[in-house]
Amino acid sequence: MNACPGGFVSEFYGVDSFHGVDSEVGRLRTVLVHRPGVELRRVTPQHTCGMLFAGLPWAERAQAEHDAFAGVLRAHGVEVLYLTELLQDALEYAPARRQAIETATSDPRLGEELRGLLRAYLAELRPEELGQVLILGLARDEFRGGRGAVFGLLGTWDYVIDPLPNLVFARDTCVWIGDSVAVTSPPGRRREAELAAIVFGFHPMFVGTKRLYEPGNELLAGGDVLLLAPGVLAIGIGSQTSSAGMERLTRRVFDTGFAHTVLVVLTDPGAVDCLDTLCTLVGPRTVVMRPAVAYSLVARTITQRADGLRLSHPRPFLEAAAQAMGLERLRVIETGLPAAGIDPAWPGAGSPVAPGGPAGQWDDAGNLLALAPGKVVSYERNTLTNARLEAAGIEVIPVPGGELAGCRGGPRAICCPIGREPAAMPEPGVERVPNEDVHAA
């Protein structure tokens, strides 16, 4: 294992994987993804299993879209690691198996007798079989050894272990900060996070990886964490991330020396949005934001003092972020329409309804994945936003996302970067790009 600036290189099976992330825009080297599979077909209207998709997904189309996304990443020199493969490797080790089985059988609905039978059944499975059950779930009629009162009251296609249809959204359950990983604790998704914890805790590729957060801690979603610049984080608090979760992660990044400043961004507690659906970085000084929040989003700055954490007064997010990053101003590219509701550049602007209005925000066109500064992956359906990004000098690589966008996410949501080259940030106070805001639809 060789040390690198901001991370390390792990040599496993003859492959060099760079681990370490200090920004959202350094050249992408390695990502962790989950290719959607049979678990999507096992979701029914009666058993949604916490599914984030707006409707029952078309599994084969979702797989094809995900394969196209992974192909684009590889074509740009990114190593793509699959969670399922790493999980099966990790389950070769007895401690990993014990942890996985304990997590899978912790559901209080099982009861003591059924839980004991299920533990014995899972312990006999081969790593590949166990990995499949952990992701695909186990229906009543698939568990031949079941018995007892709780088991007898289950319907034919009730689940003893629920499938995990949201596992494709890899960003939610883990985020790399420097050379360490925070395995997060998003609401209702403990089992997903535990699978990531098993991979990072037991796979030989990640030997020695430091952990900043654990699934059993307070609520924290990976989509609420933005690495604005080396040493500067933004953490959204709302329905997916609690103030206590933010505070725990903030103390950890201060203690490890990765960050000197954390911005606490106050998102809408009544919405399911994560911060990365409101704001995404596409360059070292350029952000993409929803117009409804670009100039109304509020942040408070946390710094560390000898007597504890210091919390500033509320300030506009863009102003606080620019100051923390050592910049005079952040360049803003807006998704959707201007505040008036009609894009003057749209040919039908004189009509009462133009494409891309408030309903156009539903696909979260700003949830982009940066491959490098000024180069992003975006869903091809975001035609208006993509055109405006290109007009602003951002290279856009479109990928299909009809099924994958069903949960209100973008390419950023379906992968976890675990390796980026160190960010090349502009010198503080030096303007290197135009300051004018760019309004995108």
Side-chain angles (χ1 to χ4, degrees):
M1 188 180 301
N2 304 313
C4 293
F8 59 87
V9 171
S10 172
E11 297 177 2
F12 184 72
Y13 295 157
V15 178
D16 285 352
S17 299
F18 181 84
H19 305 162
V21 180
D22 70 354
S23 78
E24 299 287 336
V25 297
R27 187 172 79 83
L28 192 58
R29 294 276 299 274
T30 310
V31 298
L32 176 68
V33 301
H34 171 68
R35 183 179 187 264
V38 178
E39 70 273 10
L40 296 187
R41 292 200 292 268
R42 291 166 68 83
V43 174
T44 69
Q46 294 75 32
H47 299 285
T48 59
C49 304
M51 182 180 64
L52 294 174
F53 292 92
L56 294 180
W58 183 0
E60 291 80 7
R61 178 62 62 83
Q63 288 176 327
E65 292 173 355
H66 197 276
D67 290 344
F69 170 68
V72 163
L73 296 183
R74 293 192 190 94
H76 287 81
V78 180
E79 180 188 14
V80 180
L81 304 176
Y82 286 93
L83 177 68
T84 300
E85 296 176 0
L86 299 181
L87 177 63
Q88 291 174 356
D89 289 339
L91 291 174
E92 296 282 354
Y93 300 92
R97 291 175 63 85
R98 287 195 296 270
Q99 183 172 323
I101 292 171
E102 180 63 29
T103 299
T105 58
S106 62
D107 190 335
R109 296 174 299 176
L110 292 175
E112 287 305 313
E113 182 178 9
L114 182 54
R115 180 176 294 109
L117 294 171
L118 187 57
R119 283 174 176 163
Y121 169 77
L122 296 177
E124 295 299 319
L125 298 180
R126 298 191 302 270
E128 295 81 5
E129 296 169 335
L130 179 57
Q132 286 187 343
V133 170
L134 295 175
I135 294 171
L136 305 185
L138 186 69
R140 177 193 185 278
D141 276 15
E142 294 170 333
F143 184 28
R144 302 301 182 188
R147 63 176 183 271
V150 174
F151 184 80
L153 290 170
L154 294 174
T156 301
W157 278 99
D158 285 340
Y159 285 107
V160 180
I161 298 176
D162 287 340
L164 300 176
N166 300 323
L167 199 58
V168 64
F169 305 113
R171 176 78 63 145
D172 292 340
T173 53
C174 54
V175 54
W176 282 71
I177 303 173
D179 62 357
S180 304
V181 64
V183 181
T184 59
S185 184
R189 298 172 66 185
R190 172 73 178 268
R191 280 183 49 219
E192 294 175 54
E194 289 286 359
L195 295 187
I198 289 168
V199 167
F200 294 130
F202 298 100
H203 197 286
M205 183 180 291
F206 300 105
V207 170
T209 298
K210 297 183 287 292
R211 296 266 275 274
L212 297 172
Y213 211 85
E214 299 296 338
N217 294 153
E218 300 86 353
L219 289 184
L220 176 72
D224 274 320
V225 181
L226 295 180
L227 280 64
L228 297 180
V232 182
L233 266 66
I235 303 176
I237 57 173
S239 63
Q240 304 298 298
T241 296
S242 67
S243 298
M246 174 280 302
E247 182 187 51
R248 181 185 293 271
L249 182 60
T250 295
R251 291 187 184 278
R252 291 289 290 132
V253 296
F254 284 162
D255 291 345
T256 57
F258 175 80
H260 54 74
T261 304
V262 171
L263 299 185
V264 183
V265 186
L266 310 176
T267 63
D268 183 356
V272 297
D273 302 328
C274 283
L275 179 59
D276 67 352
T277 66
L278 308 179
C279 176
T280 312
L281 274 77
V282 297
R285 62 166 69 248
T286 305
V287 295
V288 176
M289 297 187 71
R290 290 190 199 171
V293 300
Y295 302 99
S296 62
L297 201 60
V298 174
R300 303 182 71 173
T301 302
I302 296 182
T303 51
Q304 192 170 35
R305 295 291 187 266
D307 57 349
L309 300 181
R310 179 180 180 273
L311 181 67
S312 74
H313 293 294
R315 298 171 59 192
F317 166 73
L318 290 171
E319 176 186 318
Q323 182 180 49
M325 298 165 70
L327 305 174
E328 293 182 6
R329 187 182 183 188
L330 279 168
R331 184 190 191 195
V332 179
I333 302 175
E334 292 183 355
T335 66
L337 296 179
I342 299 295
D343 186 348
W346 180 255
S351 63
V353 178
Q361 294 301 309
W362 191 250
D363 57 17
D364 289 325
N367 193 238
L368 308 168
L369 175 67
L371 296 179
K375 179 187 291 188
V376 300
V377 179
S378 175
Y379 286 147
E380 61 187 6
R381 62 185 287 171
N382 302 324
T383 54
L384 300 178
T385 295
N386 293 346
R388 294 306 182 94
L389 287 166
E390 290 173 339
I394 305 297
E395 181 181 352
V396 177
I397 302 164
V399 295
E403 288 297 314
L404 294 178
C407 76
R408 302 201 53 213
R412 188 181 192 276
I414 60 174
C415 79
C416 172
I418 65 174
R420 287 186 182 273
E421 291 186 356
M425 302 300 295
E427 296 179 8
V430 178
E431 295 292 339
R432 296 185 180 177
V433 298
N435 280 327
E436 293 80 6
D437 297 343
V438 180
H439 300 281

